Amino acid sequence: MLAKSKDNRLAFAFIATAFLFFFIGTICGLLQGLVRGGVIKQLPYWLDYYKVLTTHGVSLALLFTTNFIYGFFFAGVHKTMGNLSAKVRAAGWGGFWLMIIGTIMAVVTVLAGDASVLYTFYAPLKASPFFYIGLALWVIGSWVSGIAMMAHYFQWKKQHPQETTPLFGYMVVGTNLLWITACLGVAATVVLQMIPWSLGMTDKINILLSRTLFWYFGHPLVYFWLLPAYAYWYVSIPKLIGGKIFSDSLARLSFILFLIFSIPVGFHHQLMEPGIGEGWKFIQVSLTLMVVIPSLMTAFSMFASFESAGRRKGATGLFGWWKKLPYGDVRFLSPFLGMLFFIPAGIGGIINTSYQLDEIVHNTLWVVGHFHITVGAAVVMSFFGITYWLVPHLTGRTFSKSMNRLGILQVVLWAVGMFIMSTAMHVLGLYGAPRRTAYSTYGNDPVALDWFHGLVANQLYLPIGAFLLFLSSMLMVYLFIHLAFLAPKATADERVDFPISEAEHPEEKPPVILDKWKLWVGICVVLILLAYSVPVMDMLHHSPASPGYRTW
């Protein structure tokens, strides 16, 4: 039973939906690992590999993440800025149900075998029009809910003109502005290209343009996943470890820089595309590398908070604070392990962005390994840490020591499974093993056979890692159900609160210019126009079109 709050019910609806698709997506992940490692050579005809691969990607990369983020955000803006107005809450629910309708349309077409187009749905693979219409409705629903959150923030700001806006609310606005701006690309290709094409209104589709519009969306999507994790790191983790936010202004500036630099960068996913000029690729690669700056700012801020908390607890010496961190608290341990995974993930991102190095790893399992330690570790493990306090906070139930111990087991299983699987993926990619393929020895080619016999470069590690991840995910689903419905109701003293940290120096107010959203959005738009206008116009006039194909 939910705690008595209409806002909590809205947040919980998003969280529960997220875990439904987490359950579905991780089952598909296990099947993928078993097939790719050769444990199962071939799935039944009604459950082909590419249907499973599509369901896995859509369920986890889009449906689980977005629903979880919105549940977390609605709970956070309620905590930091008070009750939602009736209109804002109604808009939040309206967006939720639009997303549900769109999700049902898309998922049903995938399960029916009419949309095995993978998570990226690249043309000329052609799905049912219901898949694309469902995707469009889902995006529109996410916009409605996102705008509702921003409306609550600006209402609060209008009512408190002399006060500093809450840091969490500020981060919610920055993340939603990034999401809405990024989705313009995928909305354009879906509505203007793919829906008319799938309905037979046009015979062919401009493939290069559709891929460009997808990756205009696809890379900032990564930061849409990461920024809520960063919000948790900045705002909540210092409170959990007995510390304070190192710098409120630095946190706000990092989110502004992510908004500015994470969108006009999609060409670094298209470095091998022959129809894009090298000069334009160079510009977007340069902008991509600028994202390293707010990432390093975040790392500096987090470790400063760790050290400050440790020294408050009596730590001495250069690294004595390291021993004072609460590793026995799953709410900290899980995101902390995700932070450690993000170190090689960030290095891998620089490699993927480098033109010559990308020629080696492009379209190999390396990319899949990188994707998993970025989203599947840094982001998802932060979401796990959030779940252990957010769900009992929303439902008014307890989070016991036994649940904490099970949570530690769950995140350790996840970390070990992810390490085994992603390490093998990275090394196999360097040996040339391709992504997006089912089990194959390519006619017993010696190179392909080596992918099953290496000490580290061995596809047999994929099902081993996938199995450990599956065990962890099923334990996570059980823990979610327990915390939501089965744990004892909390007394007033046992209530689990939403952790909001104080700033180290609350007397220092953030510069007013950081709250000038029109300025930062304007700079973002200018960079987007500079990076994309000429290449897109060239694609409109000179890129060849293709008919659709169904390869499944």
Side-chain angles (χ1 to χ4, degrees), residues 73 167-168 170-175 178 223 226-232 234 249-260 294 297-298 517:
F73 277 1
L167 178 59
F168 188 89
Y170 186 92
M171 292 175 166
V172 168
V173 171
T175 304
L178 182 147
Y223 291 96
L226 279 168
L227 291 187
Y230 285 174
Y232 179 44
Y234 274 116
S249 299
L250 183 146
R252 292 172 192 257
L253 178 59
S254 70
F255 269 61
I256 289 294
L257 294 177
F258 279 121
L259 173 64
I260 292 173
M297 289 166 59
T298 300
W517 287 109

Side-chain angles (χ1 to χ4, degrees), residues 158-180:
K158 186 176 180 180
Q159 294 166 1
H160 304 80
Q162 303 303 319
E163 297 182 37
T164 301
T165 54
L167 178 59
F168 188 89
Y170 186 92
M171 292 175 166
V172 168
V173 171
T175 304
N176 275 298
L177 285 173
L178 182 147
W179 171 251
I180 292 169

Side-chain angles (χ1 to χ4, degrees), residues 14 90-100 137-138 140-145:
F14 277 106
W93 278 112
F96 171 78
W97 287 114
L98 266 177
M99 292 172 71
I100 291 293
L137 288 174
W138 181 81
I140 293 170
S142 73
W143 285 350
V144 172
S145 290

Side-chain angles (χ1 to χ4, degrees), residues 80-81 150 152-174 235 245 248-249 251-252 500-501 503 508-517:
T80 57
M81 294 181 288
M150 291 194 292
H152 186 59
Y153 172 89
F154 287 111
Q155 285 175 2
W156 187 96
K157 185 179 178 182
K158 186 176 180 180
Q159 294 166 1
H160 304 80
Q162 303 303 319
E163 297 182 37
T164 301
T165 54
L167 178 59
F168 188 89
Y170 186 92
M171 292 175 166
V172 168
V173 171
V235 175
I245 300 170
D248 184 288
S249 299
R252 292 172 192 257
I500 299 293
S501 307
E508 296 180 3
K509 302 299 181 183
V512 175
I513 194 171
L514 292 179
D515 234 354
K516 304 292 185 182
W517 287 109

Side-chain angles (χ1 to χ4, degrees), residues 237-238 240-243 305-317 319-329 332 336:
I237 285 182
L240 295 174
I241 65 175
S305 292
F306 293 166
E307 180 176 0
S308 175
R311 298 203 183 281
R312 280 191 176 89
K313 297 175 182 178
T316 58
F319 295 109
W321 53 271
W322 190 266
K323 300 176 184 178
K324 300 292 184 178
L325 297 176
Y327 302 110
D329 185 343
F332 168 75
F336 179 73

